[in-house]
Amino acid sequence: MLAHELLRAVREGRLHPRAVAEAYLERARRHAHLGAFLTLNENLLQEAEKVDREAPLAGLPVAIKDNLVTKGLPTTAGSRLLEGFLAPYEATAVRRLREAGALILGKTNLDEFAMGSSTEHSAFFPARNPFDPSRTPGGSSGGSAAAVSADLAPLALGSDTGGSIRQPAAYCGVYGLKPTYGRVSRYGLIAYASSLDQVGPLARSVRDLALLMDALAGEDPQDATSLSAPPRFQKALEEPLGPFRIGVVKEALEGNTEGVNRALETFLESMARLGVRVKEVSWPGLALALNAYYILAPAEASSNLARYDGTIFGVRRGSPEKTRALFGLEAKRRILVGTFVLSSGYYEAFYARAQAFRARLKREALALLSDLEALVLPTTPTPAFPLGAMKDPLAMYRQDLYTVAANLTGLPALSIPAGFEGGLPVGVQLMGPPLSDEALLRLALAFEEATERAYLRTPLGEAF
């Protein structure tokens, strides 16, 4: 069952919340080889007994990426530096889920401090793709994507700094939404790059995404960057599609594998049959977005991660230098790059120019979207790659080629399962104007219904 179907069964008394919790807890343990979870909630069954069946998310288990702090469960951010850390407070996104009646199933695996595209940079163990365990589920929200794809959890939260929800969603054949910057509170999210980070949902259907977003979105006095726009995701899905115009970004049509291009063609043909107007557009700045991202994100990371010296947070190993030696290779690499581009003599040459380019990139995007409802491009240029295959970090960074622009501009972006290549899922990405999150989901639902869920497969079978 999909999450919204499970919710209906619980409300109608056909399923007890404890039975749902028990099934998912057992399933997560049985498929531990996928490395999706770092921690499971051992109090889940007792919490399920107290569920209000009329609550918006009554009894639905949700997997939480382990860089969102949770009361009563460890938060590690995938790092030895925070091993065993118990936060004294809870992230707003997690608190809102609890208030809506959801159950926190456990904390999912991730690249250390969300720095990576494969979950191989977790300090504990890699996560694996349920469609082929020898391949990556993507990153940094790879554990969340793997959990949803394998139906170890009906819903999950991730965080997206440069594609870390959408890229693993594409690799694992699920939906992943990077909301408009500020649409979901970042309070309680361990920061990687604060001006880019965004909390968002992963799910196996559009209606499931809408369920989560209605619970998550909204202004938060504890996050000054949060927006007051009230969520209306489920209501939006009941409205007619109406006139829709989308632009295919021509700069994203070259260098992709055959299956990725075929999925894009399938999506566009389906849109045309639904009466959506499709045209090709040019976004010149897209090709340079990755360069700017890998200046700006490490710069913010070098500042945000300076606090991890063992004085206040996490493990202490003698001196601050010995404590920081616990950082993994990828985290060290990005911290060093960030420190370099912010250093005297290089700030103007790198950081200031990247910020100027970021402003230009957003102007270009908004100009394109002034007479379009969405831009369309692949989520990734390839399907999931084998674990250990990306020895060159620059080659791995290129997997984020089509996703970083949404973070640099703050625009909402949604990855949609749209095809397969060699038995592996591939995704198509929609990017819209600010606060068009609901409209993107409405368009995705039209595709999902038109294709009769043809691209929504659960490789290990469903829990219910």
Side-chain angles (χ1 to χ4, degrees):
M1 286 186 189
L2 298 170
H4 65 277
E5 296 168 338
L6 270 176
L7 180 63
R8 189 181 311 119
V10 168
R11 286 179 173 167
E12 293 174 355
R14 291 183 284 117
L15 279 174
H16 192 283
R18 183 184 173 100
V20 175
E22 202 164 17
Y24 278 105
L25 197 57
E26 187 278 331
R27 189 174 171 87
R29 288 171 176 154
R30 179 158 34 99
H31 295 292
H33 66 282
L34 292 176
F37 286 92
L38 293 176
T39 306
L40 289 170
N41 181 4
E42 299 302 331
N43 297 317
L44 190 69
L45 302 186
Q46 296 94 303
E47 293 171 11
E49 294 286 1
K50 303 173 185 176
V51 166
D52 174 5
R53 293 196 185 203
E54 297 304 313
L57 297 175
L60 287 179
V62 182
I64 307 294
K65 186 175 179 179
D66 200 26
N67 61 347
L68 285 157
V69 298
T70 44
K71 276 189 176 179
L73 288 172
T75 301
T76 70
S79 176
R80 294 288 181 191
L81 272 162
L82 288 176
E83 193 168 5
F85 173 67
L86 285 168
Y89 68 103
E90 193 150 73
T92 296
V94 178
R95 176 177 57 78
R96 286 179 172 171
L97 291 182
R98 290 194 198 269
E99 290 171 352
L103 299 170
I104 307 308
L105 175 59
K107 307 295 289 293
T108 57
N109 204 357
L110 70 157
D111 290 296
E112 184 178 13
F113 287 103
M115 297 180 181
S117 301
S118 67
T119 318
E120 292 172 283
H121 298 296
S122 167
F124 304 104
F125 43 80
R128 298 177 180 275
N129 194 310
F131 283 87
D132 179 351
S134 72
R135 292 177 180 264
T136 176
S140 61
S141 305
S144 289
V148 172
S149 175
D151 201 21
L152 311 186
L155 300 165
L157 288 190
S159 67
D160 194 310
T161 307
S164 290
I165 289 173
R166 290 160 289 148
Q167 184 247 36
Y171 282 174
C172 292
V174 299
Y175 289 92
L177 174 66
K178 197 289 288 185
T180 299
Y181 184 78
R183 198 75 197 270
V184 178
S185 172
R186 290 184 297 109
Y187 179 75
L189 172 68
I190 293 175
Y192 165 16
S194 305
S195 74
L196 304 168
D197 296 340
Q198 187 61 76
V199 178
L202 297 102
R204 290 193 296 124
S205 82
V206 177
R207 293 190 185 279
D208 294 351
L209 282 185
L211 265 179
L212 264 185
M213 283 302 296
D214 275 338
L216 292 170
E219 189 173 11
D220 178 14
Q222 293 174 301
D223 178 3
T225 65
S226 65
L227 302 175
S228 59
R232 50 181 309 277
F233 287 85
Q234 292 176 84
K235 286 184 179 178
L237 296 187
E238 304 311 317
E239 297 169 358
L241 185 60
F244 225 95
R245 298 156 300 175
I246 59 177
V248 186
V249 180
K250 71 176 185 180
E251 286 81 2
L253 300 180
E254 300 293 331
N256 308 316
T257 61
E258 182 181 343
V260 169
N261 285 332
R262 189 166 56 245
L264 186 60
E265 290 169 10
T266 298
F267 178 81
L268 296 174
E269 289 168 1
S270 180
M271 291 297 100
R273 287 194 295 272
L274 291 168
V276 174
R277 289 173 55 194
V278 180
K279 72 173 185 177
E280 189 174 285
V281 298
S282 176
W283 190 1
L286 181 67
L288 296 173
L290 198 64
N291 300 17
Y293 174 84
Y294 278 103
I295 292 172
L296 298 175
E300 294 191 31
S302 72
S303 176
N304 279 326
L305 271 63
R307 71 194 72 177
Y308 298 102
D309 59 2
T311 305
I312 299 174
F313 300 102
V315 175
R316 183 172 179 82
R317 292 282 180 88
S319 67
E321 291 77 14
K322 289 181 179 178
T323 299
R324 286 175 174 150
L326 293 173
F327 278 119
L329 177 61
E330 185 60 26
K332 288 177 181 175
R333 181 183 290 122
R334 297 194 191 198
I335 291 168
L336 287 171
V337 169
T339 303
F340 173 78
V341 301
L342 290 175
S343 62
S344 177
Y346 296 99
Y347 179 92
E348 292 295 335
F350 294 102
Y351 183 78
R353 289 178 67 189
Q355 286 287 26
F357 171 80
R358 182 180 187 176
R360 172 193 141 189
L361 187 73
K362 186 168 184 177
R363 286 195 302 270
E364 290 178 357
L366 293 179
L368 288 174
L369 290 165
S370 62
D371 64 345
L372 296 170
E373 276 69 47
L375 299 174
V376 184
L377 57 167
T379 308
T380 61
T382 70
F385 52 88
L387 291 164
M390 293 287 185
K391 301 297 185 185
D392 177 4
L394 295 181
M396 188 175 290
Y397 296 167
R398 283 193 286 272
Q399 297 301 306
D400 299 331
L401 179 63
Y402 301 140
T403 55
V404 295
N407 302 84
L408 290 169
T409 58
L411 300 178
L414 170 66
S415 181
I416 302 169
F420 290 89
E421 180 176 346
L424 298 170
V426 293
V428 166
Q429 183 180 196
L430 297 176
M431 193 180 304
L435 298 175
S436 66
D437 312 56
E438 286 93 337
L440 297 186
L441 262 63
R442 184 67 194 87
L443 188 60
L445 179 64
F447 176 72
E448 182 183 295
E449 292 176 339
T451 55
E452 298 180 334
R453 299 182 181 174
Y455 306 113
L456 301 175
R457 301 178 192 170
T458 306
L460 303 183
E462 293 186 327
F464 288 92

